């Protein structure tokens, strides 16, 4: 097997030794007498440190702790989700967990009700949020966020994946179908509240790589003055769902080296602002998919098993057509492209996106150190 270049994660590896010791001690409760919370977050995507932060979203905090044991490392960027109805409160437990590890916290803040169809929620139309109907809720949540910014860097993905067509803030949904202009007005309104109430909270503008909606993600960009950082989401769906593009490489998903690919387009919008990948994962692989008669043989199997080298990236078949190899190449490509962070969607939803199924999978993150 051809040796691969190492990644620039040396500083993170050193930090993990330190934060692992912190994780073994009980963190002081926020706001309690005698708390020794740091005056500034340990990890930040806004600083000048070129080290790429690597983290993942888990089913819950106890599951994440088990995964950290399996990976042999602390989660550098915890990831969680809240909505306006089912989980409207600020996630203090996740901040506590991030603080104990010296990690950042990525929060998807979604203005809708998870338990109802997206096309039946006109009350959450962007135009209504922009008009101030939710200002009390927005202000209260952001006030709590502001109280925790000294404990961990809090990064908020507000109304993400707007270029898709499956949420009340998307274009193309049946509930009145918002427009990019309405989304921008909503975002700017919420960002103004954030700046007034919680200026240290990082607001992350976060489209999908290739959205299913009628407009490219650039149409929803509120302008550099109204965002703190940017990110993309993207997945290799493999053969999980009908109508998917089939097995795709990290380059297929994000177009790192393609002039009109999602990453170059996002970087053009970002300018000097930090950017990263907020949600990413590969579907699990099945070796039979890439053998004669398998669904991937026509596209991949006829040539990938001849070991097509693509230095410095994919250099063996395993780099192309396994979940573990795909994840390694994604990390390497993102780092080389200048990403400030990568967050894996490490859970079971449409399929089992987790990496801990095999010994090789458990080593993916550590190979990046």
């Amino acid at each position: 097997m051809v040796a691969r270049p190492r990644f620039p994660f040396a500083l993170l590896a050193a930090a993990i030794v330190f934060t692992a010791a912190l994780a073994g001690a009980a963190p002081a409760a926020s706001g309690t007498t005698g708390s020794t919370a740091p005056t500034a977050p340990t990890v930040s995507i806004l600083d000048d440190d070129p080290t790429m932060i690597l983290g993942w979203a888990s089913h819950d905090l106890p599951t994440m702790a088990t995964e950290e044991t399996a990976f042999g490392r602390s989660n550098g960027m915890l990831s969680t989700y809240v909505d306006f109805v089912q989980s409207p409160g600020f996630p203090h437990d996740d901040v506590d967990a991030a603080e104990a590890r010296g990690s950042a916290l990525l929060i998807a803040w979604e203005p809708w009700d998870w338990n109802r169809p997206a096309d039946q929620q006109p009350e959450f139309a962007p135009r209504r949020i922009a008009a101030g109907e939710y200002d009390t809720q927005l202000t209260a949540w952001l006030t709590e966020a502001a109280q925790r910014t000294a404990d961990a860097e809090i990064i908020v993905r507000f109304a993400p994946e707007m270029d898709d067509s499956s949420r009340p803030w998307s274009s193309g949904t049946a509930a009145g179908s918002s427009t990019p202009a309405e989304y921008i007005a909503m975002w700017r309104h919420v960002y103004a509240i954030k700046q007034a109430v919680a200026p240290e909270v990082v607001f992350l503008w976060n489209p999908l790589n290739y959205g299913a909606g009628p407009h490219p993600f650039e149409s929803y960009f509120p302008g550099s003055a109204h965002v703190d950082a940017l990110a993309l989401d993207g997945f290799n769906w493999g053969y999980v769902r009908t109508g998917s593009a089939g097995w795709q490489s990290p380059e297929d998903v994000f177009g790192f080296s393609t002039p009109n690919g999602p990453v170059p387009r996002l970087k053009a919008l970002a300018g000097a602002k930090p950017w990263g990948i907020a949600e990413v994962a590969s579907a699990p692989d099945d070796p039979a998919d890439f053998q004669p008669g398998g669904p991937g043989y026509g596209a991949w199997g006829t040539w990938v098993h001849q070991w097509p080298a693509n230095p410095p990236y994919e250099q063996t078949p395993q780099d192309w057509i396994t979940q573990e190899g795909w994840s390694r190449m994604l990390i390497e490509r993102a780092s080389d492209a200048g990403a400030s962070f990568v967050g894996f969607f490490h859970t079971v939803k449409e399929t089992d996106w987790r990496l801990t199924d095999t010994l090789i999978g458990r080593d993916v993150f550590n190979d990046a150190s």
Side-chain angles (χ1 to χ4, degrees), residues 139-196:
T139 301
W141 194 93
L142 286 166
T143 298
E144 291 194 55
Q147 295 167 355
R148 301 305 307 271
T149 53
D151 303 326
E153 180 159 270
I154 297 169
I155 308 162
V156 176
R157 306 163 54 205
F158 181 72
E161 299 186 3
M162 72 299 294
D163 53 330
D164 207 7
S165 59
S166 59
R167 298 167 179 84
W169 58 88
S170 304
S171 300
T173 56
S177 191
S178 67
T179 66
E182 290 170 335
Y183 180 90
I184 289 172
M186 173 189 70
W187 177 280
R188 289 182 175 181
H189 178 76
V190 178
Y191 187 81
I193 296 174
K194 191 276 294 190
Q195 288 294 85

Side-chain angles (χ1 to χ4, degrees), residues 207-211 217 232-238 245-258 260-265 277 279-283 300 314 320 326 330 333 353:
L208 191 62
N209 58 340
Y210 294 107
F217 63 66
L232 285 170
D233 293 351
F235 293 80
N236 170 32
W237 285 89
W247 194 268
Q248 295 185 296
S249 70
E251 175 64 20
D252 292 330
V253 175
F254 289 104
F256 291 103
S257 59
T258 304
N260 293 321
V263 163
R265 289 164 53 202
I277 296 175
E279 274 188 21
V280 65
S282 171
W300 295 90
E314 297 87 357
W320 292 85
W326 193 98
L330 180 282
R333 283 184 177 272
W353 300 104

